Amino acid sequence: MRHGFLLDLDGTLYHGDRPIPYAAEFIRWLREKGHPFLYVTNNSSRTPEQVAAHLIQTGIEARPEEVLTSSQAAVMYLQETGARTGRVLCIGEQGLKTALEDGGFEPVAEDAPEGTVAAVVQGIDRTFHYGKLLAAVRHIRGGAPYILTNPDHLLPWNGELTPGAGSIAASIERAGETPPVVIGKPSPIIMRYAVAKLGLAPAEIWTVGDNLNTDIRGGADAGCRTALVLTGLANAANVDEQMARTGVRPERICAHLMELAESLG
């Protein structure tokens, strides 16, 4: 039987700069079996080319066209909701800026006058400062839509947790008194685009990841089948507690990716 796969990255295929055992073997298995797949990431800081290059560095074959980032999905959402072009206040890094430019938008600095931007689009921004907060709040309170690439408050990186885009969003939302439109997992927005890109029915697609609250919740809400791998945020020691706390139960729980492959035949 032919399956599609939506694959998480950090915690599922690698840990920061370190490959996870069996990840490269699993991707080779997908290619040999002819199963279509997509690398789906909430990380807005990298372009698809950079995501693919990072995967290759960890020993995993990847191509830019096999990647869907939250930055790309944010641009697709802007286009779908009517903002085909225009100036956008971009609070983010190169991946978000490049996606906006490729989509026909002009990222502008925080000194853009109120009323001159089509939206405020925010992702992870490791140069975030008070001036950017002030600009975002001014535009949002002036009526500009607020788009958030992903809600992750913390990001795992080489065994450490660092503040994510959701932590920045907390300050913008509090001061702007406006909740953002969230694009990344578990939002149905990125999942809908990912399913459409694979061209299969949701029931034919496995969403695979290590995070119950983003990967597995997002996949289940989209009508996909779900497989949790115990190689990241979820592991053998904490998976029962995490399922009880989140209320999310995957269809399958696997120690690693090749265990999932072997179970599918």
Side-chain angles (χ1 to χ4, degrees):
M1 180 180 176
R2 188 166 177 259
H3 303 281
F5 292 82
L6 301 178
L7 304 174
D8 177 54
L9 300 184
D10 207 336
T12 301
L13 298 174
Y14 55 71
H15 288 300
D17 296 319
R18 303 190 303 272
I20 288 176
Y22 302 106
E25 185 179 353
F26 181 73
I27 298 302
R28 287 195 296 270
W29 176 82
L30 290 178
R31 295 191 190 282
E32 290 168 2
K33 293 291 186 178
H35 295 308
F37 66 92
L38 199 60
Y39 299 112
V40 183
T41 177
N42 273 6
N43 188 338
S44 64
S45 68
R46 290 175 171 161
T47 65
E49 290 76 14
Q50 290 170 328
V51 172
H54 181 67
L55 284 162
I56 291 168
Q57 288 172 2
T58 63
I60 298 168
E61 183 184 351
R63 305 168 190 132
E65 60 270 22
E66 296 170 337
V67 175
L68 178 63
T69 72
S70 61
S71 293
Q72 291 175 295
V75 171
M76 295 163 73
Y77 176 80
L78 283 171
Q79 293 170 334
E80 183 182 44
T81 54
R84 294 292 175 179
T85 58
R87 291 155 58 87
V88 173
L89 178 64
C90 173
I91 298 176
E93 299 182 4
Q94 191 56 53
L96 183 56
K97 293 173 184 174
T98 298
L100 287 165
E101 290 168 350
D102 289 348
F105 296 93
E106 179 189 353
V108 298
E110 56 264 27
D111 59 356
E114 183 181 329
T116 64
V117 302
V120 174
V121 184
Q122 181 240 312
I124 183 67
D125 185 342
R126 282 162 280 207
T127 64
F128 185 67
H129 53 71
Y130 186 82
K132 293 183 180 182
L133 172 62
L134 178 63
V137 170
R138 180 184 297 123
H139 288 296
I140 291 166
R141 295 185 73 91
Y146 175 26
I147 311 300
L148 175 62
T149 60
N150 74 84
D152 302 331
H153 290 94
L154 292 170
L155 301 175
W157 185 258
N158 288 335
E160 181 183 8
L161 289 174
T162 60
S167 294
I168 296 171
S171 64
I172 296 174
E173 180 177 353
R174 183 66 178 268
E177 299 183 315
T178 302
V181 175
V182 178
I183 301 297
K185 298 175 287 185
S187 169
I189 295 173
I190 194 170
M191 297 303 298
R192 178 161 49 86
Y193 296 148
V195 168
K197 191 166 182 177
L198 276 189
L200 297 173
E204 299 175 292
I205 297 172
W206 285 90
T207 298
V208 184
D210 68 302
N211 188 324
L212 285 164
N213 216 26
T214 57
D215 308 319
I216 306 306
R217 187 185 298 278
D221 288 350
C224 298
R225 305 182 74 177
T226 57
L228 180 75
V229 287
L230 303 179
T231 53
L233 286 178
N235 55 55
N238 67 22
V239 63
D240 289 335
E241 181 276 329
Q242 288 198 12
M243 287 192 294
R245 176 169 47 82
T246 63
V248 177
R249 291 193 171 270
E251 183 174 339
R252 297 195 185 184
I253 300 175
C254 302
H256 54 75
L257 286 166
M258 281 311 295
E259 184 177 307
L260 174 62
E262 289 160 6
S263 73
L264 295 176

